[in-house]
């Protein structure tokens, strides 16, 4: 080690990089982390956290509607976008500060600047005339939004990054894509009173999720006022005197104020100098790693979104913990990607853990038992709203283990975190049923589902 400036040099101070840096420094190693923007990464600065604040701001409009059903009145309720933006940005700055302070407390040196690999042990901090050597290097640079650059007029479209800082709330927005970000932002803007259209190229939103979830959510977001256009591609975006016109391949011309592309994210590896260090990419452009997150260069590791395995904050953190155990504690570990719960913060939100019905039919040799319920939550009893909750359990017919839980409805992200414990533990439907209900709640349905969907048990 004496030959190197640091034991470990981490590139990227997001969730994964910060966790790995802190754990390693707390073990007494000499660690630095480079960050070219703000400490906290996608999650804290332009992802999960500000997004959730936007969801919470947006949900208030729905809460007010419910409240009126209960006898409340709000004669002058209005939303002020600049007030919200300022409050959000103050909180994000506070959180970013906590991340930076925690690095300091652990003894990690924070290097402000863009680090570029020069060889397997050397990085240069661009524009700072500083070259640093390290015995080991960890790349945790995350991802960046992607949009189809070949689409005429795409320069007029924003991505989620700009959506966090729009100078004013538009009257109309058109969102392209049908994944997490598209669906979440459609809900945010619609809730804030923006006329919102979601355009997706496939037959239904949230490809990869359970088909009942996809169908149910598409219906529910339409009830919240989002116009959903499916099976459609974009032809061009035209700037006019009054806004933007999105031309679709089916001949539709949609006028709007803002076009947002939420068409996926790609690993952030641009100009990182990977070739100089012998770090290879896979066909999809992500850093190639083994199960312990080691790249094709012996002393370089990579984790989080830049490796495009499962692009979720808690997963990056677990990958960082496994990296630390493997590399610095002589305890080889790799993260187990099975039964990781996830939530889509659409309105209503979605909580999912385990297999979709289609996946279960493919993997359970003797078929599956499916339990589904759809009901109106008690909360909406006085509102006249016809919003409904979907709950679905997918059970391996042979072992009777619950292998998938799918919920669309209020508080489903909170419910799914707990359901995930039972799914991860491999509990059977009988064990779920032996758990006494909490009444009156929505979640009690999960332990009282008795009726198998007819004809469900089949190897399909
Ligand atoms: P996703 O991969 O989830 O969705 C991308 C969407 O864009 C898909 O609907 C895709 O269609 C569509 N698309 C891709 N290319 C084109 C194209 N050329 N023209 C039209 N449509 C296109 O990406 P997101 O950007 O929504 O999110 C990125 C990742 O970030 C997620 O996968 C998730 O891992 C993570 N994330 C997690 C969140 C959470 O946990 N709540 C929130 C936000 C992000 P198709 O389905 O047909 O491929």
């Amino acid at each position: 080690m004496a030959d190197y400036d640091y034991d470990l040099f981490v590139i990227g101070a997001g969730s994964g990089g910060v966790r790995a840096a802190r754990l390693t420094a707390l073990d007494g190693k000499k660690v630095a982390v480079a960050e070219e923007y703000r400490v906290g990464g996608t999650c804290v600065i332009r992802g999960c956290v500000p997004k959730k604040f936007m969801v919470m701001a947006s949900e208030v409009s729905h809460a007010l509607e419910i409240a009126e059903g209960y006898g409340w009145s709000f004669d002058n309720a209005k939303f002020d976008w600049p007030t919200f933006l300022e409050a959000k940005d103050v909180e994000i700055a506070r959180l970013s500060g906590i991340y930076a302070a925690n690095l300091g407390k652990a003894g990690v040196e924070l290097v402000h600047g863009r680090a570029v690999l020069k060889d397997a042990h050397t990085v240069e901090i661009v524009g700072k005339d500083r070259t640093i050597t390290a015995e080991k290097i960890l790349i945790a640079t995350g991802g960046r939004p992607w949009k189809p650059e070949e689409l005429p007029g795409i320069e007029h479209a924003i991505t989620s990054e700009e959506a966090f800082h729009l100078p004013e709330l538009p009257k109309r927005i058109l969102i392209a894509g049908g994944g997490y970000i598209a669906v979440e932002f459609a809900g945010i803007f619609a809730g804030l009173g923006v006329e919102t259209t979601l355009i997706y190229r496939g037959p239904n939103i949230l490809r990869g999720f359970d088909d009942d979830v996809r169908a149910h959510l598409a219906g529910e977001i339409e009830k919240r006022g989002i116009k959903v256009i499916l099976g459609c591609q974009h032809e061009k975006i035209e700037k006019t005197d009054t806004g933007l016109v999105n031309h679709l391949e089916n001949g539709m011309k949609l006028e709007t104020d803002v076009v947002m592309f939420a068409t996926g994210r790609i690993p952030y590896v641009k100009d990182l100098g990977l070739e100089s260090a012998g770090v290879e990419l896979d066909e999809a452009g992500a850093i190639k790693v083994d199960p312990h997150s080691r790249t094709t260069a012996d002393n370089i590791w990579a984790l989080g979104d830049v490796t495009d395995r499962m692009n979720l904050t808690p997963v990056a953190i677990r990958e960082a913990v496994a990296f630390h155990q493997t590399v610095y504690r002589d305890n080889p570990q790799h993260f187990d990607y099975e039964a990781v719960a996830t939530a889509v913060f659409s309105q209503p939100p979605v909580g999912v853990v385990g297999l979709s019905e289609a996946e279960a039919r493919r993997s359970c040799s003797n078929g599956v038992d499916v339990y589904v319920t759809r009901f109106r939550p008690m909360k909406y009893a006085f509102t006249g709203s016809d919003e409904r909750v979907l709950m679905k359990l997918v059970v391996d017919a042979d072992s009777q283990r619950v292998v998938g839980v799918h919920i669309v409805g209020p508080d489903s992200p909170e419910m799914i975190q707990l359901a995930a414990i039972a799914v991860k533990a491999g509990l059977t439907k009988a064990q779920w049923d032996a758990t006494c209900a909490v009444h009156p709640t929505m979640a009690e349905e999960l332990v009282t589902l008795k009726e198998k969907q007819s004809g469900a048990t089949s190897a399909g």
Side-chain angles (χ1 to χ4, degrees), residues 51 178-181 184 200-201 207 233 262-264 311-312 343:
K51 179 274 307 288
Y180 282 83
I181 296 180
E184 292 182 341
Y200 174 52
R201 63 181 177 182
R207 182 168 63 84
Q233 267 296 23
T263 43
N311 300 331
L312 300 170

Side-chain angles (χ1 to χ4, degrees), residues 62-214:
H62 190 58
L64 291 179
E65 279 170 29
I66 297 168
E68 282 177 358
Y70 283 84
W72 292 87
S73 59
F74 305 90
D75 297 331
N76 198 21
K78 56 180 199 286
F79 173 71
D80 185 56
W81 177 248
T83 303
F84 165 69
L85 282 192
E86 193 188 330
K88 165 182 78 69
D89 290 341
V90 166
E91 179 61 10
I92 299 301
R94 188 183 75 85
L95 294 172
S96 177
I98 291 175
Y99 264 67
N102 285 344
L103 281 171
K105 277 187 217 154
V108 178
E109 186 194 331
L110 179 57
V111 177
H112 293 281
R114 179 172 172 73
V116 171
L117 290 158
K118 290 288 138 189
D119 62 41
H121 289 282
T122 313
V123 297
E124 183 184 298
I125 308 302
V126 178
K128 299 250 165 111
D129 197 20
R130 186 172 174 198
T131 299
I132 294 171
T133 60
E135 186 190 14
K136 296 183 172 72
I137 292 174
L138 175 68
I139 304 170
T141 48
R144 287 291 179 275
W146 174 88
K147 52 184 184 175
E149 293 304 333
E150 70 288 353
L151 183 75
I154 191 71
E155 67 277 12
H156 303 305
I158 63 163
T159 67
S160 57
E161 304 220 328
E162 297 86 51
F164 289 119
H165 303 284
L166 287 176
E168 58 188 42
L169 196 60
K171 289 206 166 32
R172 302 164 296 182
I173 191 164
L174 204 149
I175 299 180
Y180 282 83
I181 296 180
V183 171
E184 292 182 341
F185 274 87
I188 288 169
F189 285 112
L192 293 177
V194 179
E195 193 185 308
T196 304
T197 306
L198 184 70
I199 300 177
Y200 174 52
R201 63 181 177 182
N204 212 344
I205 56 174
L206 291 184
R207 182 168 63 84
F209 282 68
D210 186 274
D211 285 340
D212 280 334
V213 167
R214 300 170 71 190

Side-chain angles (χ1 to χ4, degrees), residues 1 10 21 26 30 37 42 88 92 104 108 150 164 169 194 202 204 226 261 327 330 345 375 383 394 398 413-414 460:
M1 152 62 197
V10 181
L26 288 169
K30 195 172 178 207
Y37 187 50
T42 300
K88 165 182 78 69
I92 299 301
V108 178
E150 70 288 353
F164 289 119
L169 196 60
V194 179
N204 212 344
I226 297 170
F261 264 68
V327 178
D330 196 20
F345 292 93
F375 59 94
T383 65
V394 181
D398 230 5
E414 305 291 339

Side-chain angles (χ1 to χ4, degrees), residues 219-291:
E220 292 301 310
I221 66 174
E222 283 186 312
K223 288 179 194 166
R224 298 267 185 121
I226 297 170
K227 184 172 175 191
V228 181
I229 301 178
L230 298 171
C232 223
Q233 267 296 23
H234 307 258
E235 198 175 73
K236 66 173 176 182
I237 302 165
E238 182 192 1
K239 193 165 173 47
T240 65
D241 291 344
T242 49
L244 298 170
V245 178
N246 199 350
H247 297 253
L248 301 181
E249 280 181 358
N250 64 4
M252 281 175 90
K253 292 187 185 98
L254 302 169
E255 212 186 320
T256 186
D257 302 312
V258 173
V259 175
M260 172 175 158
F261 264 68
T263 43
R265 295 175 59 85
I266 52 170
Y268 187 42
V269 291
K270 196 166 179 282
D271 301 330
L272 206 53
L274 297 179
E275 323 70 45
S276 351
V279 175
E280 291 173 18
L281 299 179
D282 65 18
E283 316 75 56
I287 294 183
K288 244 192 233 175
V289 284
D290 72 9

Side-chain angles (χ1 to χ4, degrees), residues 354-382:
L355 305 179
S356 67
E357 182 180 339
E359 287 168 339
R361 286 190 185 286
R362 286 193 292 274
S363 68
C364 300
S365 48
N366 279 326
V368 295
D369 295 339
V370 175
Y371 298 82
V372 183
T373 179
R374 294 178 178 83
F375 59 94
R376 188 177 69 170
M378 193 178 168
K379 196 185 201 174
Y380 300 154
F382 305 151

